[in-house]
Amino acid sequence: MYAPTEKPNDFLSVATTSGGADCEAAGCSADTSFAPGASQGGEVGQSIGLFVPDGFEASSLASLSVFEAANSVLGYNHYAIRIYTEFGGQVRGAFGFSVVTEPLPTNTLDSLLIGGGRAVTQCSSTLFDYLRRERPVARRIAGVGLGTFTLAQAGLLDRRRATTQAEFAHELQSLFPEVLVEGDKLFIEDRSIWTSAGMTAGIDLALALLEGDCGPELVFAVARHLLMHQRRMGSQSQTSDLLDLVPKSDRVQRALAFARENLRLPLTVESLAEAACLSPRQFSRLFHLETGHTPARAVEKLRIDVAQTLIAQGRLPISAIVHETGFGDRERMRRAFHRATGASPMAVRRDTGRSVMA
DNA sequence: AGTATCAACCGCCACC
DNA sequence: CCGGTGGCGGTTGATA
């Protein structure tokens, strides 16, 4: 659960002077009315900072939307959200737009996220010194996507488990042999250092940070606010088969949406075909053509994915998860898990308990 | 472990 | 003729 920070905050005053429109768009209102350490509605605010290097990718900013949404759901600024560069001022993203930033604060940050990008050149040694200095002070530090490389270069990931975008995992490992790279995970936490894969995995990481602060109920509300179909756990593979389920036609998309929303129903090919307004035969054919999966297999993958998430959360008994995911009975779910993961649901629960929250 | 049943899948063909 | 669609029937695999 959330532990209030006792640290002073000298950077909030900077925010009122240098926080520009870009900063406000990311959720940090220039006239933010709360200050960490002071109560509002019985809650204490926390500072979330994102460091962006020159040439950062826009997806680095996406993780901030989680904390912005949390503020929106809560109805007040529980999180003070800031974007930083080494010395403040404008920084240019990989795709041409600029963001107004503040200089990195000292001894004040509760959580620091590090963004990255393909176009990012060498970061300065001052930054690495800063990260090494802040690591024991900040409650948690996270490398989002290629930001993992910055943490590795600063030596923060030595003998720690870490992940990054799958296509750069090999490079990360060869450049930094001391890092225990797990290139297929969505996100990993190892002793308060978090790392994630690229793109939307940063959002999943941010949701996990939020859950640590405020509990699962707020996370569910924020996920709904962000119109996320389902949350993904860190242990899930970046190359999850679910990511392949991106059909081109409206009709197959309708059927998939129907399946996601009605996972508890039997979901036969016939019922999915009806949702897609196609004959079962044509639906089957089209579905396989567009997703590379047969309808029954895709439904099973959806069920397993949701079941894995619920199992990892550990809040529901297996029998309730069986019902929620439409498996019908424990034996069917156990067999489906064994087919997909080679392990039983209980083994997955034990495994995720170790690897996600370790 | 063996068996019956049924849904899913897929090749083929016909129709529009 | 071609592409999209639907029906039929055999095979396969999961389940009871």
PDB file of all heavy atoms in Angstrom, chain A residues 120-151:
ATOM      1  N   VAL A 120      17.796   8.612 -29.576  1.00  0.00           N
ATOM      2  CA  VAL A 120      18.516   9.206 -28.445  1.00  0.00           C
ATOM      3  C   VAL A 120      20.001   8.904 -28.560  1.00  0.00           C
ATOM      4  O   VAL A 120      20.399   7.761 -28.772  1.00  0.00           O
ATOM      5  CB  VAL A 120      17.979   8.639 -27.108  1.00  0.00           C
ATOM      6  CG1 VAL A 120      18.847   9.102 -25.950  1.00  0.00           C
ATOM      7  CG2 VAL A 120      16.552   9.077 -26.910  1.00  0.00           C
ATOM      8  N   THR A 121      20.796   9.950 -28.448  1.00  0.00           N
ATOM      9  CA  THR A 121      22.245   9.754 -28.481  1.00  0.00           C
ATOM     10  C   THR A 121      22.736   9.587 -27.049  1.00  0.00           C
ATOM     11  O   THR A 121      21.957   9.588 -26.113  1.00  0.00           O
ATOM     12  CB  THR A 121      22.936  10.948 -29.158  1.00  0.00           C
ATOM     13  OG1 THR A 121      22.419  12.129 -28.563  1.00  0.00           O
ATOM     14  CG2 THR A 121      22.672  10.961 -30.647  1.00  0.00           C
ATOM     15  N   GLN A 122      23.997   9.482 -26.894  1.00  0.00           N
ATOM     16  CA  GLN A 122      24.634   9.270 -25.597  1.00  0.00           C
ATOM     17  C   GLN A 122      24.157  10.293 -24.545  1.00  0.00           C
ATOM     18  O   GLN A 122      24.197  11.496 -24.778  1.00  0.00           O
ATOM     19  CB  GLN A 122      26.144   9.406 -25.801  1.00  0.00           C
ATOM     20  CG  GLN A 122      26.960   9.256 -24.552  1.00  0.00           C
ATOM     21  CD  GLN A 122      27.129   7.788 -24.178  1.00  0.00           C
ATOM     22  OE1 GLN A 122      26.812   6.902 -24.954  1.00  0.00           O
ATOM     23  NE2 GLN A 122      27.602   7.553 -22.977  1.00  0.00           N
ATOM     24  N   CYS A 123      23.710   9.820 -23.406  1.00  0.00           N
ATOM     25  CA  CYS A 123      23.379  10.733 -22.308  1.00  0.00           C
ATOM     26  C   CYS A 123      24.666  11.107 -21.581  1.00  0.00           C
ATOM     27  O   CYS A 123      25.649  10.373 -21.625  1.00  0.00           O
ATOM     28  CB  CYS A 123      22.411  10.067 -21.333  1.00  0.00           C
ATOM     29  SG  CYS A 123      20.782   9.784 -22.034  1.00  0.00           S
ATOM     30  N   SER A 124      24.649  12.246 -20.890  1.00  0.00           N
ATOM     31  CA  SER A 124      25.881  12.731 -20.269  1.00  0.00           C
ATOM     32  C   SER A 124      26.178  11.987 -18.979  1.00  0.00           C
ATOM     33  O   SER A 124      25.282  11.426 -18.335  1.00  0.00           O
ATOM     34  CB  SER A 124      25.774  14.225 -19.991  1.00  0.00           C
ATOM     35  OG  SER A 124      25.004  14.408 -18.830  1.00  0.00           O
ATOM     36  N   SER A 125      27.441  12.034 -18.577  1.00  0.00           N
ATOM     37  CA  SER A 125      27.843  11.354 -17.342  1.00  0.00           C
ATOM     38  C   SER A 125      27.216  12.032 -16.127  1.00  0.00           C
ATOM     39  O   SER A 125      27.040  11.409 -15.087  1.00  0.00           O
ATOM     40  CB  SER A 125      29.363  11.348 -17.221  1.00  0.00           C
ATOM     41  OG  SER A 125      29.832  12.678 -17.261  1.00  0.00           O
ATOM     42  N   THR A 126      26.874  13.331 -16.281  1.00  0.00           N
ATOM     43  CA  THR A 126      26.199  14.032 -15.174  1.00  0.00           C
ATOM     44  C   THR A 126      24.891  13.332 -14.840  1.00  0.00           C
ATOM     45  O   THR A 126      24.508  13.207 -13.674  1.00  0.00           O
ATOM     46  CB  THR A 126      25.876  15.491 -15.588  1.00  0.00           C
ATOM     47  OG1 THR A 126      26.835  15.923 -16.531  1.00  0.00           O
ATOM     48  CG2 THR A 126      25.843  16.405 -14.394  1.00  0.00           C
ATOM     49  N   LEU A 127      24.172  12.903 -15.884  1.00  0.00           N
ATOM     50  CA  LEU A 127      22.897  12.219 -15.668  1.00  0.00           C
ATOM     51  C   LEU A 127      23.125  10.907 -14.924  1.00  0.00           C
ATOM     52  O   LEU A 127      22.392  10.575 -13.991  1.00  0.00           O
ATOM     53  CB  LEU A 127      22.198  11.965 -17.010  1.00  0.00           C
ATOM     54  CG  LEU A 127      20.928  11.124 -16.904  1.00  0.00           C
ATOM     55  CD1 LEU A 127      19.831  11.893 -16.165  1.00  0.00           C
ATOM     56  CD2 LEU A 127      20.430  10.703 -18.275  1.00  0.00           C
ATOM     57  N   PHE A 128      24.146  10.150 -15.359  1.00  0.00           N
ATOM     58  CA  PHE A 128      24.420   8.873 -14.695  1.00  0.00           C
ATOM     59  C   PHE A 128      24.785   9.097 -13.225  1.00  0.00           C
ATOM     60  O   PHE A 128      24.343   8.358 -12.352  1.00  0.00           O
ATOM     61  CB  PHE A 128      25.536   8.118 -15.417  1.00  0.00           C
ATOM     62  CG  PHE A 128      25.216   7.840 -16.855  1.00  0.00           C
ATOM     63  CD1 PHE A 128      26.166   8.017 -17.852  1.00  0.00           C
ATOM     64  CD2 PHE A 128      23.946   7.414 -17.225  1.00  0.00           C
ATOM     65  CE1 PHE A 128      25.858   7.773 -19.176  1.00  0.00           C
ATOM     66  CE2 PHE A 128      23.637   7.167 -18.557  1.00  0.00           C
ATOM     67  CZ  PHE A 128      24.594   7.351 -19.531  1.00  0.00           C
ATOM     68  N   ASP A 129      25.589  10.139 -12.977  1.00  0.00           N
ATOM     69  CA  ASP A 129      25.941  10.476 -11.590  1.00  0.00           C
ATOM     70  C   ASP A 129      24.681  10.795 -10.795  1.00  0.00           C
ATOM     71  O   ASP A 129      24.511  10.357  -9.662  1.00  0.00           O
ATOM     72  CB  ASP A 129      26.883  11.693 -11.544  1.00  0.00           C
ATOM     73  CG  ASP A 129      28.270  11.335 -12.064  1.00  0.00           C
ATOM     74  OD1 ASP A 129      28.575  10.129 -12.104  1.00  0.00           O
ATOM     75  OD2 ASP A 129      29.025  12.254 -12.450  1.00  0.00           O
ATOM     76  N   TYR A 130      23.801  11.579 -11.440  1.00  0.00           N
ATOM     77  CA  TYR A 130      22.548  11.964 -10.795  1.00  0.00           C
ATOM     78  C   TYR A 130      21.745  10.721 -10.424  1.00  0.00           C
ATOM     79  O   TYR A 130      21.252  10.598  -9.292  1.00  0.00           O
ATOM     80  CB  TYR A 130      21.735  12.853 -11.737  1.00  0.00           C
ATOM     81  CG  TYR A 130      20.355  13.174 -11.210  1.00  0.00           C
ATOM     82  CD1 TYR A 130      20.149  14.244 -10.338  1.00  0.00           C
ATOM     83  CD2 TYR A 130      19.247  12.398 -11.576  1.00  0.00           C
ATOM     84  CE1 TYR A 130      18.882  14.517  -9.842  1.00  0.00           C
ATOM     85  CE2 TYR A 130      17.996  12.670 -11.084  1.00  0.00           C
ATOM     86  CZ  TYR A 130      17.809  13.731 -10.222  1.00  0.00           C
ATOM     87  OH  TYR A 130      16.558  14.000  -9.729  1.00  0.00           O
ATOM     88  N   LEU A 131      21.616   9.796 -11.376  1.00  0.00           N
ATOM     89  CA  LEU A 131      20.821   8.588 -11.128  1.00  0.00           C
ATOM     90  C   LEU A 131      21.424   7.759  -9.999  1.00  0.00           C
ATOM     91  O   LEU A 131      20.697   7.248  -9.139  1.00  0.00           O
ATOM     92  CB  LEU A 131      20.730   7.754 -12.410  1.00  0.00           C
ATOM     93  CG  LEU A 131      19.847   8.340 -13.513  1.00  0.00           C
ATOM     94  CD1 LEU A 131      19.973   7.530 -14.797  1.00  0.00           C
ATOM     95  CD2 LEU A 131      18.389   8.377 -13.064  1.00  0.00           C
ATOM     96  N   ARG A 132      22.745   7.636  -9.996  1.00  0.00           N
ATOM     97  CA  ARG A 132      23.394   6.855  -8.926  1.00  0.00           C
ATOM     98  C   ARG A 132      23.178   7.517  -7.558  1.00  0.00           C
ATOM     99  O   ARG A 132      22.976   6.849  -6.555  1.00  0.00           O
ATOM    100  CB  ARG A 132      24.894   6.708  -9.230  1.00  0.00           C
ATOM    101  CG  ARG A 132      25.185   5.652 -10.298  1.00  0.00           C
ATOM    102  CD  ARG A 132      26.664   5.355 -10.393  1.00  0.00           C
ATOM    103  NE  ARG A 132      27.383   6.410 -11.093  1.00  0.00           N
ATOM    104  CZ  ARG A 132      27.630   6.393 -12.405  1.00  0.00           C
ATOM    105  NH1 ARG A 132      27.219   5.384 -13.147  1.00  0.00           N
ATOM    106  NH2 ARG A 132      28.285   7.376 -12.971  1.00  0.00           N
ATOM    107  N   ARG A 133      23.178   8.872  -7.573  1.00  0.00           N
ATOM    108  CA  ARG A 133      23.005   9.616  -6.333  1.00  0.00           C
ATOM    109  C   ARG A 133      21.556   9.495  -5.821  1.00  0.00           C
ATOM    110  O   ARG A 133      21.301   9.340  -4.641  1.00  0.00           O
ATOM    111  CB  ARG A 133      23.349  11.081  -6.595  1.00  0.00           C
ATOM    112  CG  ARG A 133      23.999  11.801  -5.433  1.00  0.00           C
ATOM    113  CD  ARG A 133      24.510  13.179  -5.821  1.00  0.00           C
ATOM    114  NE  ARG A 133      23.630  13.961  -6.641  1.00  0.00           N
ATOM    115  CZ  ARG A 133      23.900  14.353  -7.882  1.00  0.00           C
ATOM    116  NH1 ARG A 133      25.040  13.999  -8.463  1.00  0.00           N
ATOM    117  NH2 ARG A 133      23.042  15.081  -8.580  1.00  0.00           N
ATOM    118  N   GLU A 134      20.596   9.564  -6.778  1.00  0.00           N
ATOM    119  CA  GLU A 134      19.173   9.592  -6.405  1.00  0.00           C
ATOM    120  C   GLU A 134      18.620   8.210  -6.090  1.00  0.00           C
ATOM    121  O   GLU A 134      17.603   8.094  -5.412  1.00  0.00           O
ATOM    122  CB  GLU A 134      18.350  10.214  -7.535  1.00  0.00           C
ATOM    123  CG  GLU A 134      18.558  11.700  -7.703  1.00  0.00           C
ATOM    124  CD  GLU A 134      18.089  12.504  -6.492  1.00  0.00           C
ATOM    125  OE1 GLU A 134      16.959  12.301  -6.040  1.00  0.00           O
ATOM    126  OE2 GLU A 134      18.893  13.316  -5.994  1.00  0.00           O
ATOM    127  N   ARG A 135      19.284   7.194  -6.596  1.00  0.00           N
ATOM    128  CA  ARG A 135      18.722   5.850  -6.443  1.00  0.00           C
ATOM    129  C   ARG A 135      18.365   5.489  -5.004  1.00  0.00           C
ATOM    130  O   ARG A 135      17.262   5.027  -4.725  1.00  0.00           O
ATOM    131  CB  ARG A 135      19.660   4.793  -7.028  1.00  0.00           C
ATOM    132  CG  ARG A 135      18.964   3.471  -7.291  1.00  0.00           C
ATOM    133  CD  ARG A 135      19.894   2.306  -7.200  1.00  0.00           C
ATOM    134  NE  ARG A 135      20.388   2.075  -5.869  1.00  0.00           N
ATOM    135  CZ  ARG A 135      19.669   1.585  -4.883  1.00  0.00           C
ATOM    136  NH1 ARG A 135      18.406   1.271  -5.078  1.00  0.00           N
ATOM    137  NH2 ARG A 135      20.195   1.387  -3.690  1.00  0.00           N
ATOM    138  N   PRO A 136      19.246   5.744  -4.044  1.00  0.00           N
ATOM    139  CA  PRO A 136      18.853   5.400  -2.672  1.00  0.00           C
ATOM    140  C   PRO A 136      17.812   6.351  -2.094  1.00  0.00           C
ATOM    141  O   PRO A 136      17.179   6.042  -1.094  1.00  0.00           O
ATOM    142  CB  PRO A 136      20.169   5.539  -1.882  1.00  0.00           C
ATOM    143  CG  PRO A 136      21.246   5.772  -2.879  1.00  0.00           C
ATOM    144  CD  PRO A 136      20.613   6.308  -4.099  1.00  0.00           C
ATOM    145  N   VAL A 137      17.633   7.508  -2.734  1.00  0.00           N
ATOM    146  CA  VAL A 137      16.722   8.523  -2.195  1.00  0.00           C
ATOM    147  C   VAL A 137      15.309   8.327  -2.738  1.00  0.00           C
ATOM    148  O   VAL A 137      14.335   8.323  -1.992  1.00  0.00           O
ATOM    149  CB  VAL A 137      17.232   9.947  -2.560  1.00  0.00           C
ATOM    150  CG1 VAL A 137      16.316  10.993  -1.952  1.00  0.00           C
ATOM    151  CG2 VAL A 137      18.674  10.120  -2.105  1.00  0.00           C
ATOM    152  N   ALA A 138      15.206   8.161  -4.050  1.00  0.00           N
ATOM    153  CA  ALA A 138      13.889   7.978  -4.674  1.00  0.00           C
ATOM    154  C   ALA A 138      13.313   6.629  -4.258  1.00  0.00           C
ATOM    155  O   ALA A 138      14.046   5.657  -4.097  1.00  0.00           O
ATOM    156  CB  ALA A 138      14.010   8.057  -6.186  1.00  0.00           C
ATOM    157  N   ARG A 139      11.984   6.605  -4.074  1.00  0.00           N
ATOM    158  CA  ARG A 139      11.350   5.340  -3.671  1.00  0.00           C
ATOM    159  C   ARG A 139      11.451   4.300  -4.781  1.00  0.00           C
ATOM    160  O   ARG A 139      11.589   3.117  -4.535  1.00  0.00           O
ATOM    161  CB  ARG A 139       9.884   5.606  -3.310  1.00  0.00           C
ATOM    162  CG  ARG A 139       9.182   4.410  -2.693  1.00  0.00           C
ATOM    163  CD  ARG A 139       7.987   4.880  -1.890  1.00  0.00           C
ATOM    164  NE  ARG A 139       7.012   5.577  -2.704  1.00  0.00           N
ATOM    165  CZ  ARG A 139       5.974   4.972  -3.298  1.00  0.00           C
ATOM    166  NH1 ARG A 139       5.793   3.690  -3.165  1.00  0.00           N
ATOM    167  NH2 ARG A 139       5.130   5.677  -4.016  1.00  0.00           N
ATOM    168  N   ARG A 140      11.370   4.769  -6.019  1.00  0.00           N
ATOM    169  CA  ARG A 140      11.488   3.833  -7.141  1.00  0.00           C
ATOM    170  C   ARG A 140      11.909   4.576  -8.402  1.00  0.00           C
ATOM    171  O   ARG A 140      11.561   5.736  -8.608  1.00  0.00           O
ATOM    172  CB  ARG A 140      10.177   3.080  -7.376  1.00  0.00           C
ATOM    173  CG  ARG A 140       9.044   4.013  -7.540  1.00  0.00           C
ATOM    174  CD  ARG A 140       7.702   3.349  -7.319  1.00  0.00           C
ATOM    175  NE  ARG A 140       6.673   4.380  -7.430  1.00  0.00           N
ATOM    176  CZ  ARG A 140       5.399   4.201  -7.165  1.00  0.00           C
ATOM    177  NH1 ARG A 140       4.951   3.037  -6.792  1.00  0.00           N
ATOM    178  NH2 ARG A 140       4.549   5.200  -7.305  1.00  0.00           N
ATOM    179  N   ILE A 141      12.660   3.879  -9.220  1.00  0.00           N
ATOM    180  CA  ILE A 141      13.123   4.431 -10.493  1.00  0.00           C
ATOM    181  C   ILE A 141      12.725   3.434 -11.568  1.00  0.00           C
ATOM    182  O   ILE A 141      12.829   2.219 -11.375  1.00  0.00           O
ATOM    183  CB  ILE A 141      14.651   4.644 -10.479  1.00  0.00           C
ATOM    184  CG1 ILE A 141      15.006   5.739  -9.452  1.00  0.00           C
ATOM    185  CG2 ILE A 141      15.160   5.024 -11.860  1.00  0.00           C
ATOM    186  CD1 ILE A 141      16.478   6.083  -9.378  1.00  0.00           C
ATOM    187  N   ALA A 142      12.240   3.939 -12.708  1.00  0.00           N
ATOM    188  CA  ALA A 142      11.765   3.036 -13.762  1.00  0.00           C
ATOM    189  C   ALA A 142      12.323   3.447 -15.121  1.00  0.00           C
ATOM    190  O   ALA A 142      12.305   4.619 -15.468  1.00  0.00           O
ATOM    191  CB  ALA A 142      10.238   3.045 -13.800  1.00  0.00           C
ATOM    192  N   GLY A 143      12.787   2.487 -15.869  1.00  0.00           N
ATOM    193  CA  GLY A 143      13.193   2.711 -17.252  1.00  0.00           C
ATOM    194  C   GLY A 143      12.053   2.280 -18.156  1.00  0.00           C
ATOM    195  O   GLY A 143      11.645   1.123 -18.134  1.00  0.00           O
ATOM    196  N   VAL A 144      11.526   3.232 -18.930  1.00  0.00           N
ATOM    197  CA  VAL A 144      10.405   2.912 -19.818  1.00  0.00           C
ATOM    198  C   VAL A 144      10.952   2.637 -21.222  1.00  0.00           C
ATOM    199  O   VAL A 144      11.588   3.503 -21.818  1.00  0.00           O
ATOM    200  CB  VAL A 144       9.387   4.073 -19.866  1.00  0.00           C
ATOM    201  CG1 VAL A 144       8.230   3.735 -20.792  1.00  0.00           C
ATOM    202  CG2 VAL A 144       8.868   4.373 -18.470  1.00  0.00           C
ATOM    203  N   GLY A 145      10.733   1.448 -21.722  1.00  0.00           N
ATOM    204  CA  GLY A 145      11.207   1.087 -23.062  1.00  0.00           C
ATOM    205  C   GLY A 145      12.723   1.173 -23.148  1.00  0.00           C
ATOM    206  O   GLY A 145      13.449   0.560 -22.365  1.00  0.00           O
ATOM    207  N   LEU A 146      13.210   1.998 -24.066  1.00  0.00           N
ATOM    208  CA  LEU A 146      14.661   2.104 -24.255  1.00  0.00           C
ATOM    209  C   LEU A 146      15.320   2.915 -23.136  1.00  0.00           C
ATOM    210  O   LEU A 146      16.548   2.995 -23.075  1.00  0.00           O
ATOM    211  CB  LEU A 146      14.963   2.721 -25.628  1.00  0.00           C
ATOM    212  CG  LEU A 146      14.513   1.840 -26.804  1.00  0.00           C
ATOM    213  CD1 LEU A 146      14.807   2.520 -28.137  1.00  0.00           C
ATOM    214  CD2 LEU A 146      15.168   0.471 -26.766  1.00  0.00           C
ATOM    215  N   GLY A 147      14.506   3.500 -22.255  1.00  0.00           N
ATOM    216  CA  GLY A 147      15.046   4.151 -21.058  1.00  0.00           C
ATOM    217  C   GLY A 147      15.825   3.172 -20.194  1.00  0.00           C
ATOM    218  O   GLY A 147      16.676   3.565 -19.390  1.00  0.00           O
ATOM    219  N   THR A 148      15.540   1.885 -20.357  1.00  0.00           N
ATOM    220  CA  THR A 148      16.278   0.842 -19.643  1.00  0.00           C
ATOM    221  C   THR A 148      17.784   0.958 -19.902  1.00  0.00           C
ATOM    222  O   THR A 148      18.597   0.732 -19.006  1.00  0.00           O
ATOM    223  CB  THR A 148      15.775  -0.550 -20.101  1.00  0.00           C
ATOM    224  OG1 THR A 148      14.401  -0.676 -19.755  1.00  0.00           O
ATOM    225  CG2 THR A 148      16.549  -1.658 -19.421  1.00  0.00           C
ATOM    226  N   PHE A 149      18.153   1.332 -21.133  1.00  0.00           N
ATOM    227  CA  PHE A 149      19.570   1.463 -21.472  1.00  0.00           C
ATOM    228  C   PHE A 149      20.253   2.523 -20.597  1.00  0.00           C
ATOM    229  O   PHE A 149      21.401   2.358 -20.194  1.00  0.00           O
ATOM    230  CB  PHE A 149      19.738   1.817 -22.962  1.00  0.00           C
ATOM    231  CG  PHE A 149      19.628   0.628 -23.875  1.00  0.00           C
ATOM    232  CD1 PHE A 149      18.388   0.110 -24.207  1.00  0.00           C
ATOM    233  CD2 PHE A 149      20.762   0.010 -24.376  1.00  0.00           C
ATOM    234  CE1 PHE A 149      18.278  -0.995 -25.042  1.00  0.00           C
ATOM    235  CE2 PHE A 149      20.669  -1.093 -25.208  1.00  0.00           C
ATOM    236  CZ  PHE A 149      19.423  -1.600 -25.543  1.00  0.00           C
ATOM    237  N   THR A 150      19.533   3.621 -20.321  1.00  0.00           N
ATOM    238  CA  THR A 150      20.100   4.683 -19.491  1.00  0.00           C
ATOM    239  C   THR A 150      20.374   4.167 -18.082  1.00  0.00           C
ATOM    240  O   THR A 150      21.443   4.419 -17.516  1.00  0.00           O
ATOM    241  CB  THR A 150      19.126   5.878 -19.437  1.00  0.00           C
ATOM    242  OG1 THR A 150      18.788   6.233 -20.780  1.00  0.00           O
ATOM    243  CG2 THR A 150      19.748   7.072 -18.751  1.00  0.00           C
ATOM    244  N   LEU A 151      19.396   3.423 -17.537  1.00  0.00           N
ATOM    245  CA  LEU A 151      19.590   2.859 -16.192  1.00  0.00           C
ATOM    246  C   LEU A 151      20.753   1.876 -16.183  1.00  0.00           C
ATOM    247  O   LEU A 151      21.552   1.851 -15.236  1.00  0.00           O
ATOM    248  CB  LEU A 151      18.305   2.150 -15.729  1.00  0.00           C
ATOM    249  CG  LEU A 151      17.072   3.022 -15.512  1.00  0.00           C
ATOM    250  CD1 LEU A 151      15.930   2.187 -14.952  1.00  0.00           C
ATOM    251  CD2 LEU A 151      17.384   4.175 -14.569  1.00  0.00           C
TER     252      LEU A 151
END
